[in-house]
Amino acid sequence: MKTALVTGGSRGIGKAIVEELCNNGYTVAFTYKNSESEAKSLAESTGALAIKADSADEAEVVAAVRQAYSHLGKIDCLVNNAGISSFSLFTDITLDEWNRIFSVNVTGAFLYSREVSRYMISEKYGRIINISSIWGLVGSSCEVHYSASKAALIGLTKALAKELGPSGITVNAIAPGVIDTEMNKALSDEDLKALEDETPLMRMGRAEEVAKCALYLAGDGADFITGEVINLSGGFVIT
Ligand code: NDP
């Protein structure tokens, strides 16, 4: 039986990943920060273990990984999904806001990868999947801090793939385009329509579509893929 730890699994893309992995035979633990009732109901519907832990807090991450490991017995797959975003003119971004975004999107992924890879190295097997963003590839106006954090996650993915490859661990990223989750609720209907019109497939992506890609990267079909960034944007970004 394969096992997985998903960060930020209470809502949106993370929730879809938890469901997809559970539906495909994985035993799963997931973390959340605030969405207690959503986390509880997901745990009940899937049998996954819900762990309350702030990705930005080192002690909480260390404790969450220990709890997940003792529940799962091993951690075959880590999905670094927890993330936050905000919109701001570049000149208005405060240092606190810059640090807040980086502490979850980058430091959180670093801490989970460090803690989990210790176990993976001793097993000589593992899959780390980082949920980046197309904005980490091409940049987004008024989201410089978010774009920079998602680009950093891509750098982390590539470097870690090189370091952990000899230990049998693959490290890949998914760079979704606009996905229909609460993260985009701050956008107006007009903005969303404009983004859809700019997308060759003419719609937003679905969380389930990101989840299916994560399932593929976690599985045997992706055994020889590492250091890769999968652009999942309906053609919004074509390089
Ligand atoms: P949502 O806002 O819908 O969900 C975010 C999830 O992350 C929640 O489960 C939330 O848990 C969790 N989370 C946030 N902060 C923390 C924290 N400090 N510690 C632990 N968990 C935390 O976002 P999405 O599902 O849309 O996004 C998921 C990932 O996908 C993010 O990394 C995002 O950047 C990325 N992404 C999203 C895109 C989109 O268009 N939606 C496009 C490209 C990338 P809780 O509610 O319990 O706090």
Side-chain angles (χ1 to χ4, degrees), residues 19 27 29 65 85 94 101 104 115 124 131 136 148 164-166 179 199 208 211 221 234:
E19 290 175 330
T27 307
V65 172
S85 66
T94 62
I101 296 284
V104 179
E115 292 308 304
K124 284 252 166 213
I131 308 300
L164 296 183
I179 307 295
T199 304
E208 295 71 26

Side-chain angles (χ1 to χ4, degrees), residues 100-178:
R100 190 179 76 90
I101 296 284
F102 268 72
S103 68
V104 179
N105 297 1
V106 186
T107 309
F110 152 64
L111 291 170
Y112 274 102
S113 300
R114 188 189 68 190
E115 292 308 304
V116 169
S117 63
R118 298 190 210 282
Y119 296 119
M120 289 178 168
I121 288 166
S122 64
E123 294 284 331
K124 284 252 166 213
Y125 178 87
R127 296 274 185 273
I128 298 176
I129 301 164
N130 296 320
I131 308 300
S132 177
S133 164
I134 51 164
W135 303 133
L137 291 169
V138 298
S140 173
S141 171
C142 295
E143 287 185 279
V144 170
H145 46 351
Y146 180 74
S147 302
S149 74
K150 292 299 183 178
L153 200 48
I154 290 172
L156 185 156
T157 301
K158 292 182 177 181
L160 198 56
K162 290 186 176 174
E163 184 163 335
L164 296 183
S167 299
I169 300 164
T170 66
V171 188
N172 291 291
I174 301 173
V178 184

